[in-house]
Amino acid sequence: QVQLVESGGGSVQPGGSLRLSCLASGYTERMGWFRQVPPNGREWVAYMNMPYSVPYYADSVEGRSVEGRFTISRDNTKNAIYLQMNSLEPEDTAMYYCAASTRRSGTWRRADDYNYWGQGTQVTVSS
């Protein structure tokens, strides 16, 4: 059983930055970030191949590109990932979830590829 603890959400003005953190209690093959705006489902933002520390980004999230604005990274000394979000826009407002998988196969771009989830952290971008 892996537990995920997220932190770092909050409110920021357009153009601002936030950094989300997620710490896993055990080994994971992949860790990623999803976001959700009700009534839509969770949409993949980025994931990290943990054994090789290789990041992957969604081409678009809700029709908008995040690459270049969002950066996923990891702490090489522990099972932790981060999502640095710059140039935030009101459309980035969502609940952000950390996800982890101990599976060795999957697309890693869908919510059902992950078997562990964090509690979610709210990000609000508003002037």
Side-chain angles (χ1 to χ4, degrees):
Q1 194 79 345
V2 174
Q3 293 184 328
L4 303 178
V5 178
E6 298 180 44
S7 60
S11 295
V12 65
Q13 293 186 339
S17 298
L18 284 173
R19 187 186 192 223
L20 307 183
S21 301
C22 179
L23 177 63
S25 63
Y27 177 80
T28 60
E29 288 283 336
R30 304 289 188 273
M31 291 182 70
W33 293 99
F34 285 73
R35 71 185 191 186
Q36 183 174 23
V37 180
N40 299 327
R42 294 181 186 183
E43 191 164 6
W44 171 60
V45 176
Y47 80 83
M48 178 70 71
N49 177 320
M50 297 299 282
Y52 295 97
S53 298
V54 177
Y56 297 86
Y57 297 92
D59 290 335
S60 69
V61 183
E62 296 172 2
R64 305 177 69 85
S65 175
V66 298
E67 193 165 5
R69 297 192 301 122
F70 291 8
T71 302
I72 187 171
S73 62
R74 68 162 297 172
D75 184 326
N76 288 325
T77 65
K78 52 190 173 184
N79 293 319
I81 60 168
Y82 308 94
L83 187 68
Q84 177 67 42
M85 304 184 292
N86 298 328
S87 302
L88 283 163
E89 304 168 354
E91 292 76 15
D92 295 314
T93 295
M95 184 70 81
Y96 285 71
Y97 292 92
C98 175
S101 179
T102 54
R103 302 168 183 156
R104 294 192 176 183
S105 64
T107 70
W108 319 116
R109 290 163 171 79
R110 302 178 316 193
D112 58 11
D113 283 329
Y114 294 82
N115 47 350
Y116 298 101
W117 290 87
Q119 77 277 14
T121 185
Q122 178 68 37
V123 169
T124 301
V125 185
S126 173
S127 55

